[in-house]
Amino acid sequence: MELMVLLNALVTRLLFVLHSLIGVWRVTAVKKEPKYWLLALLNLLLCLETGLTLKFKQGRGYKWFSPAIFLYLICTVPSLWLLEIHHGTQYCGNEPGAVQVNVSNQDFNQSRDGSHGSEGTDHHIIQTAKVFVNQLSTICETVWTLALHQTFLLLLVVGRWLLPIGVEITRDQLSQLLLMFVGTAADILEFASETLDIEDVRKNYALINAILAVWTWSMLQFPLDLAVQHIGCKPTASTRQIPSLLLCRYSAELWNIGVSLFIQDGPFFIVRSILMGHFRIFNQMLVFFTAKNILVVTLQLYRLAVITLDFRATILQKSRKGEVSCCPCEPYEASTQATADQDTEMKGFVAFPPKEESQALSEDQ
Protein backbone atom coordinates (compact mmCIF):
# COMPACT_ATOMS: atom_id res chain seq x y z
CA MET A 1 0.00 0.00 0.00
CA GLU A 2 1.38 3.39 -0.98
CA LEU A 3 2.18 5.74 1.86
CA MET A 4 0.37 8.73 0.32
CA VAL A 5 -2.77 6.69 -0.35
CA LEU A 6 -2.82 5.53 3.24
CA LEU A 7 -2.15 9.03 4.57
CA ASN A 8 -4.89 10.65 2.44
CA ALA A 9 -7.43 7.99 3.37
CA LEU A 10 -6.77 8.35 7.11
CA VAL A 11 -6.45 12.15 7.25
CA THR A 12 -9.65 12.72 5.28
CA ARG A 13 -11.69 10.42 7.48
CA LEU A 14 -10.14 11.97 10.58
CA LEU A 15 -11.35 15.39 9.41
CA PHE A 16 -14.83 13.93 8.88
CA VAL A 17 -14.91 12.50 12.41
CA LEU A 18 -13.60 15.73 13.95
CA HIS A 19 -16.21 17.88 12.22
CA SER A 20 -18.96 15.45 13.20
CA LEU A 21 -17.87 15.56 16.85
CA ILE A 22 -17.92 19.38 16.81
CA GLY A 23 -21.51 19.23 15.58
CA VAL A 24 -22.44 16.79 18.37
CA TRP A 25 -20.76 19.06 20.92
CA ARG A 26 -22.81 22.03 19.72
CA VAL A 27 -26.03 20.03 19.96
CA THR A 28 -25.15 18.95 23.51
CA ALA A 29 -24.28 22.52 24.50
CA VAL A 30 -27.49 23.93 23.00
CA LYS A 31 -29.83 21.24 24.34
CA LYS A 32 -27.97 21.05 27.65
CA GLU A 33 -28.53 17.31 27.79
CA PRO A 34 -25.56 14.88 27.84
CA LYS A 35 -27.62 12.14 26.15
CA TYR A 36 -27.00 13.80 22.76
CA TRP A 37 -23.39 12.65 22.97
CA LEU A 38 -24.79 9.30 21.81
CA LEU A 39 -24.85 10.80 18.31
CA ALA A 40 -21.07 10.46 18.35
CA LEU A 41 -21.51 6.68 18.14
CA LEU A 42 -22.44 7.12 14.48
CA ASN A 43 -18.77 7.71 13.81
CA LEU A 44 -18.15 4.04 14.56
CA LEU A 45 -19.65 3.31 11.14
CA LEU A 46 -17.02 5.54 9.56
CA CYS A 47 -14.28 3.81 11.52
CA LEU A 48 -15.57 0.42 10.36
CA GLU A 49 -15.65 1.61 6.76
CA THR A 50 -12.07 2.84 7.10
CA GLY A 51 -10.86 -0.55 8.25
CA LEU A 52 -12.70 -2.42 5.49
CA THR A 53 -11.46 -0.02 2.81
CA LEU A 54 -7.86 -0.33 3.95
CA LYS A 55 -8.11 -4.12 4.02
CA PHE A 56 -9.97 -4.89 0.81
CA LYS A 57 -9.32 -1.83 -1.39
CA GLN A 58 -5.89 -0.76 -0.08
CA GLY A 59 -7.36 2.63 0.82
CA ARG A 60 -8.71 3.43 -2.65
CA GLY A 61 -12.26 4.35 -3.59
CA TYR A 62 -15.08 2.36 -5.14
CA LYS A 63 -16.73 2.67 -8.54
CA TRP A 64 -19.68 5.09 -8.76
CA PHE A 65 -20.07 5.42 -4.98
CA SER A 66 -18.08 6.78 -2.02
CA PRO A 67 -19.00 5.06 1.29
CA ALA A 68 -16.87 7.53 3.29
CA ILE A 69 -18.83 10.53 1.99
CA PHE A 70 -22.15 8.76 2.58
CA LEU A 71 -21.26 7.84 6.18
CA TYR A 72 -20.02 11.38 6.78
CA LEU A 73 -23.49 12.58 5.79
CA ILE A 74 -25.06 10.12 8.22
CA CYS A 75 -22.79 11.32 11.04
CA THR A 76 -23.29 15.07 10.48
CA VAL A 77 -26.81 15.64 9.10
CA PRO A 78 -28.65 14.68 12.37
CA SER A 79 -26.68 17.30 14.33
CA LEU A 80 -27.49 20.02 11.78
CA TRP A 81 -31.17 19.02 11.88
CA LEU A 82 -31.28 19.43 15.66
CA LEU A 83 -29.46 22.76 15.53
CA GLU A 84 -31.81 24.16 12.87
CA ILE A 85 -34.92 22.99 14.71
CA HIS A 86 -33.61 24.53 17.95
CA HIS A 87 -32.63 27.70 16.09
CA GLY A 88 -32.70 30.38 18.82
CA THR A 89 -33.19 34.13 18.73
CA GLN A 90 -30.04 34.97 20.65
CA TYR A 91 -28.61 38.37 19.75
CA CYS A 92 -25.31 38.05 17.94
CA GLY A 93 -23.37 40.81 19.60
CA ASN A 94 -20.02 39.09 19.69
CA GLU A 95 -17.27 40.98 17.92
CA PRO A 96 -14.84 38.94 15.82
CA GLY A 97 -11.89 39.90 18.01
CA ALA A 98 -13.60 39.42 21.37
CA VAL A 99 -12.40 35.86 21.80
CA GLN A 100 -8.81 36.76 21.01
CA VAL A 101 -8.80 39.69 23.44
CA ASN A 102 -10.19 37.65 26.33
CA VAL A 103 -7.82 34.79 25.73
CA SER A 104 -4.88 37.16 25.52
CA ASN A 105 -5.80 38.72 28.89
CA GLN A 106 -6.12 35.27 30.45
CA ASP A 107 -2.78 34.26 28.96
CA PHE A 108 -1.16 37.36 30.50
CA ASN A 109 -2.59 36.63 33.94
CA GLN A 110 -1.57 33.00 33.80
CA SER A 111 1.93 33.92 32.65
CA ARG A 112 2.29 36.40 35.50
CA ASP A 113 0.93 34.19 38.25
CA GLY A 114 2.03 30.75 37.05
CA SER A 115 5.38 29.12 37.63
CA HIS A 116 8.12 29.00 35.04
CA GLY A 117 8.66 25.22 35.16
CA SER A 118 7.39 22.61 32.74
CA GLU A 119 4.48 21.77 35.04
CA GLY A 120 3.44 25.40 35.15
CA THR A 121 3.70 25.65 31.36
CA ASP A 122 1.42 22.63 30.88
CA HIS A 123 -1.07 24.02 33.37
CA HIS A 124 -0.96 27.35 31.55
CA ILE A 125 -1.72 25.69 28.19
CA ILE A 126 -4.64 23.74 29.67
CA GLN A 127 -6.10 26.87 31.24
CA THR A 128 -5.73 28.79 27.99
CA ALA A 129 -7.53 26.01 26.09
CA LYS A 130 -10.36 26.03 28.62
CA VAL A 131 -10.76 29.79 28.30
CA PHE A 132 -10.75 29.54 24.52
CA VAL A 133 -13.45 26.85 24.55
CA ASN A 134 -15.57 28.87 26.97
CA GLN A 135 -15.30 31.91 24.73
CA LEU A 136 -16.33 29.85 21.70
CA SER A 137 -19.38 28.70 23.63
CA THR A 138 -20.51 32.30 24.06
CA ILE A 139 -20.76 32.83 20.30
CA CYS A 140 -24.40 33.03 19.31
CA GLU A 141 -26.19 29.95 18.08
CA THR A 142 -26.99 31.24 14.60
CA VAL A 143 -23.31 31.90 13.85
CA TRP A 144 -22.36 28.40 14.98
CA THR A 145 -25.05 26.76 12.87
CA LEU A 146 -24.14 28.71 9.74
CA ALA A 147 -20.45 27.96 10.27
CA LEU A 148 -21.18 24.24 10.58
CA HIS A 149 -23.23 24.36 7.36
CA GLN A 150 -20.40 26.10 5.50
CA THR A 151 -17.60 23.87 6.77
CA PHE A 152 -19.77 20.80 6.13
CA LEU A 153 -20.13 21.58 2.44
CA LEU A 154 -16.50 22.62 2.10
CA LEU A 155 -15.34 19.37 3.67
CA LEU A 156 -17.53 17.39 1.28
CA VAL A 157 -15.70 18.93 -1.69
CA VAL A 158 -12.21 18.94 -0.17
CA GLY A 159 -12.68 15.47 1.28
CA ARG A 160 -13.76 14.07 -2.08
CA TRP A 161 -10.61 15.62 -3.53
CA LEU A 162 -8.31 14.16 -0.88
CA LEU A 163 -9.83 10.68 -0.84
CA PRO A 164 -7.79 8.26 -2.96
CA ILE A 165 -9.48 7.51 -6.27
CA GLY A 166 -10.06 4.03 -7.65
CA VAL A 167 -8.95 2.65 -10.98
CA GLU A 168 -12.42 3.23 -12.46
CA ILE A 169 -12.25 7.05 -12.32
CA THR A 170 -9.55 9.19 -13.88
CA ARG A 171 -8.15 12.44 -12.52
CA ASP A 172 -9.75 14.32 -15.40
CA GLN A 173 -13.15 12.95 -14.38
CA LEU A 174 -12.42 13.77 -10.73
CA SER A 175 -11.62 17.39 -11.59
CA GLN A 176 -14.90 17.69 -13.49
CA LEU A 177 -16.75 16.17 -10.55
CA LEU A 178 -15.17 18.57 -8.06
CA LEU A 179 -16.08 21.60 -10.16
CA MET A 180 -19.69 20.42 -10.29
CA PHE A 181 -19.67 19.81 -6.54
CA VAL A 182 -18.50 23.38 -5.85
CA GLY A 183 -21.46 24.84 -7.73
CA THR A 184 -23.83 22.32 -6.17
CA ALA A 185 -22.61 23.11 -2.65
CA ALA A 186 -23.09 26.84 -3.21
CA ASP A 187 -26.69 26.31 -4.40
CA ILE A 188 -27.51 24.03 -1.47
CA LEU A 189 -26.05 26.43 1.10
CA GLU A 190 -27.96 29.32 -0.44
CA PHE A 191 -31.21 27.34 -0.39
CA ALA A 192 -30.88 26.35 3.28
CA SER A 193 -29.71 29.72 4.59
CA GLU A 194 -32.08 31.83 2.47
CA THR A 195 -35.27 29.89 3.26
CA LEU A 196 -34.61 29.09 6.92
CA ASP A 197 -33.70 32.69 7.74
CA ILE A 198 -37.22 33.89 6.87
CA GLU A 199 -39.04 34.84 10.06
CA ASP A 200 -42.40 33.40 8.95
CA VAL A 201 -40.74 30.08 8.16
CA ARG A 202 -39.23 29.89 11.65
CA LYS A 203 -42.73 30.08 13.13
CA ASN A 204 -43.90 27.01 11.21
CA TYR A 205 -42.40 23.78 12.59
CA ALA A 206 -43.75 21.61 9.75
CA LEU A 207 -42.32 23.94 7.13
CA ILE A 208 -38.89 23.79 8.77
CA ASN A 209 -38.96 19.99 8.65
CA ALA A 210 -40.03 20.05 4.99
CA ILE A 211 -37.17 22.38 4.04
CA LEU A 212 -34.65 20.28 5.96
CA ALA A 213 -35.99 17.13 4.27
CA VAL A 214 -35.45 18.67 0.82
CA TRP A 215 -32.00 19.85 1.92
CA THR A 216 -31.10 16.33 3.08
CA TRP A 217 -32.42 14.85 -0.17
CA SER A 218 -30.21 17.19 -2.19
CA MET A 219 -27.12 16.09 -0.22
CA LEU A 220 -27.43 12.50 -1.46
CA GLN A 221 -25.82 13.38 -4.80
CA PHE A 222 -22.39 13.90 -3.21
CA PRO A 223 -21.49 10.21 -2.61
CA LEU A 224 -22.23 9.32 -6.26
CA ASP A 225 -19.82 9.66 -9.20
CA LEU A 226 -22.32 8.97 -11.98
CA ALA A 227 -22.09 12.54 -13.24
CA VAL A 228 -18.74 11.88 -14.96
CA GLN A 229 -18.82 8.12 -15.62
CA HIS A 230 -20.63 6.25 -18.36
CA ILE A 231 -22.35 3.04 -17.41
CA GLY A 232 -21.47 1.37 -20.71
CA CYS A 233 -23.30 -1.56 -22.27
CA LYS A 234 -22.68 -5.08 -23.45
CA PRO A 235 -23.98 -6.60 -26.68
CA THR A 236 -26.93 -8.49 -25.19
CA ALA A 237 -30.49 -8.82 -26.39
CA SER A 238 -31.88 -6.76 -23.52
CA THR A 239 -29.75 -3.75 -24.42
CA ARG A 240 -31.15 -3.50 -27.96
CA GLN A 241 -34.21 -1.60 -26.72
CA ILE A 242 -34.27 2.14 -27.38
CA PRO A 243 -34.29 3.25 -23.69
CA SER A 244 -31.33 0.99 -22.90
CA LEU A 245 -29.42 2.27 -25.90
CA LEU A 246 -30.09 5.87 -24.88
CA LEU A 247 -28.91 5.20 -21.31
CA CYS A 248 -25.84 3.43 -22.64
CA ARG A 249 -24.66 6.37 -24.72
CA TYR A 250 -25.74 9.34 -22.55
CA SER A 251 -25.62 7.92 -19.01
CA ALA A 252 -23.60 10.81 -17.52
CA GLU A 253 -25.68 13.50 -19.24
CA LEU A 254 -28.95 11.83 -18.22
CA TRP A 255 -27.75 11.57 -14.62
CA ASN A 256 -26.95 15.30 -14.53
CA ILE A 257 -30.39 16.11 -15.94
CA GLY A 258 -32.06 13.78 -13.43
CA VAL A 259 -30.16 15.32 -10.51
CA SER A 260 -31.22 18.81 -11.54
CA LEU A 261 -34.88 17.90 -12.10
CA PHE A 262 -35.52 15.53 -9.20
CA ILE A 263 -32.84 16.16 -6.56
CA GLN A 264 -31.81 19.82 -6.69
CA ASP A 265 -33.41 22.53 -8.84
CA GLY A 266 -36.78 20.80 -9.18
CA PRO A 267 -37.39 20.33 -5.41
CA PHE A 268 -35.92 23.78 -4.66
CA PHE A 269 -38.35 25.35 -7.14
CA ILE A 270 -41.30 23.50 -5.57
CA VAL A 271 -40.39 24.65 -2.05
CA ARG A 272 -39.92 28.27 -3.10
CA SER A 273 -43.17 28.21 -5.09
CA ILE A 274 -45.03 26.94 -2.01
CA LEU A 275 -43.50 29.71 0.11
CA MET A 276 -44.64 32.36 -2.34
CA GLY A 277 -47.93 30.85 -3.49
CA HIS A 278 -49.37 29.33 -0.31
CA PHE A 279 -47.66 31.18 2.52
CA ARG A 280 -47.50 34.54 0.69
CA ILE A 281 -43.82 35.04 1.52
CA PHE A 282 -42.08 37.39 -0.88
CA ASN A 283 -38.65 38.98 -0.93
CA GLN A 284 -36.24 39.96 -3.64
CA MET A 285 -33.81 37.05 -3.22
CA LEU A 286 -36.60 34.47 -3.02
CA VAL A 287 -38.10 35.68 -6.29
CA PHE A 288 -34.70 35.78 -7.98
CA PHE A 289 -33.68 32.25 -7.03
CA THR A 290 -37.13 30.94 -7.96
CA ALA A 291 -36.67 32.42 -11.42
CA LYS A 292 -33.20 30.88 -11.54
CA ASN A 293 -34.62 27.43 -10.71
CA ILE A 294 -37.25 27.82 -13.44
CA LEU A 295 -34.55 28.73 -15.96
CA VAL A 296 -32.33 25.79 -15.00
CA VAL A 297 -35.22 23.30 -15.16
CA THR A 298 -36.24 24.66 -18.57
CA LEU A 299 -32.68 24.40 -19.92
CA GLN A 300 -32.36 20.85 -18.61
CA LEU A 301 -35.58 19.84 -20.35
CA TYR A 302 -34.29 21.48 -23.52
CA ARG A 303 -31.03 19.56 -23.15
CA LEU A 304 -33.00 16.31 -22.75
CA ALA A 305 -34.95 17.04 -25.94
CA VAL A 306 -31.72 17.75 -27.84
CA ILE A 307 -30.15 14.49 -26.66
CA THR A 308 -33.25 12.50 -27.60
CA LEU A 309 -33.47 14.02 -31.09
CA ASP A 310 -29.76 13.50 -31.70
CA PHE A 311 -30.00 9.88 -30.60
CA ARG A 312 -33.07 9.30 -32.80
CA ALA A 313 -31.27 10.79 -35.79
CA THR A 314 -28.28 8.52 -35.18
CA ILE A 315 -30.46 5.42 -34.98
CA LEU A 316 -32.35 6.33 -38.18
CA GLN A 317 -29.12 7.01 -40.03
CA LYS A 318 -27.67 3.63 -39.04
CA SER A 319 -30.87 1.80 -39.94
CA ARG A 320 -30.89 3.37 -43.41
CA LYS A 321 -27.33 2.23 -44.00
CA GLY A 322 -28.26 -1.26 -42.87
CA GLU A 323 -25.92 -1.20 -39.91
CA VAL A 324 -26.91 -3.26 -36.88
CA SER A 325 -25.49 -2.01 -33.63
CA CYS A 326 -26.16 -2.90 -30.04
CA CYS A 327 -25.12 0.49 -28.82
CA PRO A 328 -23.93 3.63 -30.60
CA CYS A 329 -20.91 3.64 -28.34
CA GLU A 330 -20.05 -0.05 -28.79
CA PRO A 331 -20.38 -2.06 -32.03
CA TYR A 332 -22.70 -5.05 -32.13
CA GLU A 333 -21.40 -8.58 -32.69
CA ALA A 334 -22.80 -8.73 -36.24
CA SER A 335 -21.04 -5.58 -37.36
CA THR A 336 -17.85 -6.74 -35.68
CA GLN A 337 -18.08 -10.11 -37.44
CA ALA A 338 -18.73 -8.40 -40.79
CA THR A 339 -15.67 -6.24 -40.32
CA ALA A 340 -13.60 -9.29 -39.47
CA ASP A 341 -14.84 -11.09 -42.61
CA GLN A 342 -13.93 -8.09 -44.74
CA ASP A 343 -10.46 -8.02 -43.25
CA THR A 344 -10.03 -11.74 -43.97
CA GLU A 345 -11.10 -11.30 -47.59
CA MET A 346 -8.72 -8.38 -48.02
CA LYS A 347 -5.82 -10.37 -46.61
CA GLY A 348 -6.65 -13.30 -48.94
CA PHE A 349 -6.80 -10.99 -51.93
CA VAL A 350 -3.39 -9.54 -51.12
CA ALA A 351 -1.76 -12.87 -50.33
CA PHE A 352 -3.09 -14.79 -53.35
CA PRO A 353 -3.21 -12.94 -56.70
CA PRO A 354 -5.94 -13.72 -59.23
CA LYS A 355 -5.59 -16.82 -61.45
CA GLU A 356 -5.05 -14.84 -64.68
CA GLU A 357 -2.10 -13.03 -63.17
CA SER A 358 -0.61 -16.25 -61.83
CA GLN A 359 -0.91 -17.99 -65.23
CA ALA A 360 0.76 -15.02 -67.00
CA LEU A 361 3.63 -15.14 -64.55
CA SER A 362 4.11 -18.88 -65.14
CA GLU A 363 4.14 -18.46 -68.97
CA ASP A 364 6.72 -15.70 -68.72
CA GLN A 365 8.90 -17.96 -66.65
Side-chain angles (χ1 to χ4, degrees), residues 6-218:
L6 175 63
L7 185 62
N8 289 339
L10 293 178
V11 169
T12 305
R13 289 168 173 83
L14 181 62
L15 290 175
F16 290 166
V17 172
L18 179 61
H19 186 267
S20 176
L21 292 178
I22 293 176
V24 175
W25 167 62
R26 284 310 306 161
V27 172
T28 306
V30 168
K31 296 287 188 178
K32 294 181 172 54
E33 294 183 17
K35 66 179 182 180
Y36 286 100
W37 278 110
L38 294 176
L39 291 172
L41 296 178
L42 293 173
N43 291 282
L44 294 177
L45 297 174
L46 192 57
C47 296
L48 178 62
E49 183 273 337
T50 303
L52 294 177
T53 302
L54 294 177
K55 180 178 181 180
F56 295 104
K57 298 288 291 184
Q58 288 75 44
R60 297 191 177 275
Y62 295 81
K63 185 178 182 179
W64 298 339
F65 181 73
S66 175
I69 298 293
F70 180 72
L71 293 176
Y72 177 47
L73 295 178
I74 293 178
C75 296
T76 310
V77 166
S79 300
L80 293 177
W81 265 72
L82 293 173
L83 290 174
E84 289 291 355
I85 292 175
H86 189 270
H87 195 278
T89 57
Q90 180 181 353
Y91 175 69
C92 298
N94 300 88
E95 296 295 335
V99 175
Q100 298 180 0
V101 172
N102 292 334
V103 172
S104 299
N105 291 336
Q106 183 70 16
D107 291 344
F108 176 76
N109 294 331
Q110 292 292 337
S111 300
R112 183 182 58 185
D113 299 333
S115 60
H116 296 283
S118 60
E119 183 179 355
T121 303
D122 295 339
H123 180 71
H124 162 66
I125 295 175
I126 294 175
Q127 290 297 326
T128 303
K130 288 182 179 180
V131 172
F132 184 73
V133 172
N134 291 333
Q135 291 295 329
L136 288 178
S137 301
T138 61
I139 298 177
C140 65
E141 181 184 336
T142 55
V143 174
W144 262 112
T145 304
L146 180 59
L148 287 174
H149 269 287
Q150 294 170 338
T151 52
F152 178 45
L153 292 169
L154 288 176
L155 268 181
L156 284 174
V157 179
V158 176
R160 188 63 187 88
W161 190 8
L162 294 178
L163 284 174
I165 60 177
V167 295
E168 296 85 3
I169 183 172
T170 64
R171 295 195 177 276
D172 177 64
Q173 292 174 335
L174 178 62
S175 63
Q176 297 177 25
L177 187 68
L178 293 174
L179 288 174
M180 286 188 288
F181 279 176
V182 170
T184 299
D187 289 341
I188 293 175
L189 178 62
E190 175 276 323
F191 169 76
S193 59
E194 180 256 333
T195 53
L196 292 175
D197 284 345
I198 300 175
E199 184 177 356
D200 293 335
V201 172
R202 284 294 173 187
K203 298 177 182 178
N204 193 324
Y205 183 77
L207 192 56
I208 293 176
N209 288 332
I211 293 174
L212 290 176
V214 173
W215 170 76
T216 305
W217 172 250
S218 66

